[in-house]
Amino acid sequence: MDTRYILEQTSVGTRVGGADFNYRPGRSVLCDTRVPTAEKNGPMPVYTHGPVFYKLLMDGGSVSGVKGEQTSPKGNGRILHEMEKTGLGEQKDTGSSGILKRASPTHCPGTNGQSPGVFMHLDIRNPGKQAELANNFRAAQEWIIPPSEIQPLPSSHIPVPRNRKPSGHADKEVMAATVLTSLSTSPLVLNPSCAPPVTEPGSRAWKDVLSNSYSSSTSGNWSWDNSDQSVPSTPSPPLSNDTNKNFPLLTPGDDVNEDVPESTHFMFEDPIPRKRKNSMKVMFKCLWKNCEKVLSTSSGIQRHVRTVHLGRNTDSDYSDGEEDFYYSEIEINMDSLTEGLSSLTPTSPTTCGPPPVFPPPLTAVPHSERINMNSSHSPTPTLLSQSAPSTLCHIRTDHAYQGPVIQVRTVSIGEKRQPAAITHSTVIKNHALITPAPKSAPGTRKPRGEAKKCRKVYGMEKRDMWCTACRWKKACQRFTD
DNA sequence: CCTGCCGGGAG
DNA sequence: CTCCCGGCAGG
């Protein structure tokens, strides 16, 4: 369980994703893993420009943390303790954060100033500061994201990795198709919510959505994500329909029932990453609104479009090429597919059912990662459509853990946070962030304080002079340790 | 044993 | 919530 672990987890997702996304390795994911955690506030873009954000995040909690630690006499748990008692949740992580802070400069080139450095200081635990820094963040965002990638749409907040592999043949086709269709009065245009972006409608949209869901998985920023996703302007493939409120792009696929195993596979697969060849199978998916037909041959899909949607003669094989605009290639990772089938568990992925199935903390993130990375190729909505709902649930579950996260009980007073290498502190922090508030393990009692308590000081005969806590046989409030 | 106080019950 | 107390655990 260390940074390496996360990286590995990351690579899982990448692999599973079929690499088509080209979310090259951990980097982006890695940062994503934590980004969200920090994104408690508002619609802050989640940047997958990996290293940067990741580090920023690490810094995130440090600011106040440093203070806390520095002001408190080393070894004296008192301050921390009292902070804890006063309920300054945001300070609780201070200890480790401070460590992080100190370590971060090493990993964050050019962070001292503003720009990236700025939102490196975003403190999740300090909403105020967050807000204050939001602007800087936005400024920084331009610094990081080339203007060319900044789009006005909400979904544009989710960056697409620059190094993304140029979309394949299918995407070009789709792009062309999109352009053309947008010029005509094609069904694609008729539905405003379907108006695809100029580039790679399916791919982009899905990436966006997935990024969203992914990031949210860790950020717990669901309010934003949801709203974002439900925004009509969110690019989506034509097949989206209104019934998908939470996940506009996720339509219950009925044609491709591999969905189920697929998602299951992603959800339950062994997190240990193993390199494997992808055996991708090209399928052809109908892009017509509300149609999710997926066929294995282009001729088949053409015929489908021609006959079903264009109302052409069924018998005639004549094609004027218009069908091409209404379907696109998708690649399906047969490996994952088959694996998913074989590892299919009784648990239906569509059921939000048993979130507990996931060992909550450390595997939670990877799960969502996988889901994210999974979006192997551009328009594979149906592939994911069914996994998505569970993703939602799952993510929510994660989120649930994040609630306590912030209030994670600090290490007991006695424990001193070890100044450690950044990786180590990261681990600690992550753990703290992801692990549900450790209910003070049974048997671990607060070490008995040295100070004399009311009982001892005043004696039984002056019980009325005791503090109430003492009277109630609770931890003395007057003579705290 | 004494002491501190957690966990839980009663009102 | 307040108030109380059984009972555990450290000393």
Side-chain angles (χ1 to χ4, degrees):
Chain A
M1 308 306 190
D2 55 1
T3 309
R4 191 170 14 94
Y5 172 82
I6 292 165
L7 275 164
E8 288 173 356
Q9 295 297 319
T10 292
S11 52
V12 171
T14 309
R15 173 180 65 75
V16 174
D20 288 283
F21 244 31
N22 235 6
Y23 266 94
R24 233 26 199 172
R27 296 182 257 317
S28 51
V29 180
L30 181 56
C31 46
D32 262 6
T33 334
R34 345 192 125 63
V35 168
T37 345
E39 303 265 278
K40 285 273 176 194
N41 251 5
M44 291 228 210
V46 172
Y47 288 105
T48 49
H49 287 258
V52 186
F53 209 94
Y54 161 63
K55 284 143 194 169
L56 308 187
L57 263 283
M58 304 248 293
D59 251 328
S62 13
V63 179
S64 61
V66 172
K67 276 183 191 162
E69 183 159 311
Q70 285 177 346
T71 48
S72 69
K74 185 176 182 184
N76 182 355
R78 187 56 163 274
I79 290 188
L80 259 181
H81 176 57
E82 292 188 344
M83 284 198 282
E84 195 175 340
K85 284 200 167 178
T86 47
L88 294 180
E90 55 268 28
Q91 308 253 6
K92 292 189 177 172
D93 243 358
T94 51
S96 61
S97 307
I99 293 165
L100 286 171
K101 162 86 174 203
R102 265 178 261 120
S104 62
T106 336
H107 292 255
C108 296
T111 59
N112 274 344
Q114 298 292 293
S115 313
V118 170
F119 62 93
M120 291 178 75
H121 289 261
L122 283 175
D123 191 343
I124 31 173
R125 283 145 295 218
N126 193 338
K129 187 167 295 176
Q130 251 185 344
E132 169 190 341
L133 293 171
N135 290 335
N136 293 331
F137 178 90
R138 252 170 244 121
Q141 111 187 28
E142 296 193 9
W143 192 82
I144 291 179
I145 304 276
S148 59
E149 292 208 13
I150 298 178
Q151 298 179 15
L153 291 177
S155 57
S156 69
H157 284 302
I158 287 72
V160 175
R162 288 186 63 86
N163 58 347
R164 191 185 47 182
K165 191 165 66 183
S167 29
H169 173 66
D171 285 336
K172 286 173 188 166
E173 281 186 5
V174 173
M175 185 164 68
T178 306
V179 172
L180 289 174
T181 49
S182 65
L183 291 175
S184 67
T185 51
S186 79
L188 289 175
V189 183
L190 291 177
N191 185 347
S193 69
C194 295
V198 180
T199 55
E200 312 167 331
S203 154
R204 180 62 163 253
W206 273 94
K207 242 169 278 181
D208 287 349
V209 167
L210 290 166
S211 295
N212 268 343
S213 62
Y214 170 71
S215 61
S216 56
S217 72
T218 29
S219 74
N221 187 9
W222 268 100
S223 56
W224 167 55
D225 278 314
N226 274 337
S227 61
D228 187 43
Q229 285 164 6
S230 53
V231 169
S233 60
T234 302
S236 60
L239 48 139
S240 67
N241 56 35
D242 295 333
T243 57
N244 302 297
K245 296 196 173 85
N246 288 332
F247 235 79
L249 297 181
L250 304 173
T251 54
D254 42 10
D255 290 328
V256 182
N257 35 22
E258 294 98 336
D259 294 354
V260 175
E262 178 86 353
S263 58
T264 308
H265 162 67
F266 289 126
M267 299 297 282
F268 296 98
E269 193 207 23
D270 180 353
I272 298 174
R274 269 169 291 137
K275 279 287 174 191
R276 210 187 338 166
K277 285 182 206 163
N278 295 322
S279 57
M280 305 300 288
K281 178 170 175 65
V282 176
M283 302 288 278
F284 299 85
K285 177 168 178 45
C286 177
L287 293 176
W288 200 276
K289 184 178 181 245
N290 289 334
C291 179
E292 301 172 51
K293 193 79 176 172
V294 176
L295 296 173
S296 57
T297 62
S298 60
S299 57
I301 196 71
Q302 283 183 12
R303 194 176 303 118
H304 161 80
V305 170
R306 204 184 312 135
T307 58
V308 176
H309 300 306
L310 298 178
R312 304 281 161 80
N313 188 340
T314 313
D315 300 328
S316 166
D317 262 353
Y318 168 77
S319 160
D320 57 7
E322 189 179 348
E323 307 91 311
D324 293 346
F325 298 138
Y326 300 116
Y327 72 91
S328 74
E329 284 181 43
I330 62 176
E331 279 186 39
I332 296 176
N333 187 331
M334 296 312 281
D335 264 1
S336 310
L337 225 52
T338 49
E339 190 175 315
L341 280 166
S342 58
S343 65
L344 182 58
T345 69
T347 314
S348 166
T350 50
T351 333
C352 295
V357 167
F358 314 101
L362 288 171
T363 48
V365 168
H367 275 310
S368 21
E369 276 172 29
R370 251 172 269 142
I371 287 150
N372 180 29
M373 308 318 290
N374 171 28
S375 52
S376 38
H377 212 236
S378 10
T380 28
T382 42
L383 238 176
L384 294 165
S385 54
Q386 297 218 357
S387 72
S390 53
T391 304
L392 268 171
C393 298
H394 174 58
I395 288 166
R396 289 183 186 282
T397 305
D398 291 349
H399 184 36
Y401 283 111
Q402 293 188 358
V405 155
I406 301 211
Q407 304 163 23
V408 161
R409 192 178 166 176
T410 39
V411 191
S412 62
I413 311 165
E415 286 180 53
K416 305 286 188 308
R417 291 174 188 273
Q418 306 288 338
I422 185 153
T423 48
H424 188 203
S425 13
T426 308
V427 173
I428 294 174
K429 187 176 175 186
N430 279 340
H431 200 69
L433 284 173
I434 302 172
T435 308
K439 225 180 168 182
S440 51
T444 54
R445 272 196 165 198
K446 198 164 80 178
R448 179 186 290 213
E450 296 300 315
K452 287 186 175 180
K453 311 294 180 186
C454 298
R455 180 189 178 102
K456 193 79 176 180
V457 171
Y458 301 109
M460 285 298 287
E461 55 282 351
K462 294 179 184 175
R463 198 179 174 188
D464 53 329
M465 293 181 72
W466 295 6
C467 68
T468 38
C470 278
R471 258 184 278 133
W472 299 344
K473 293 173 88 174
K474 298 292 182 193
C476 180
Q477 292 171 334
R478 187 171 298 167
F479 305 103
T480 54
D481 294 307

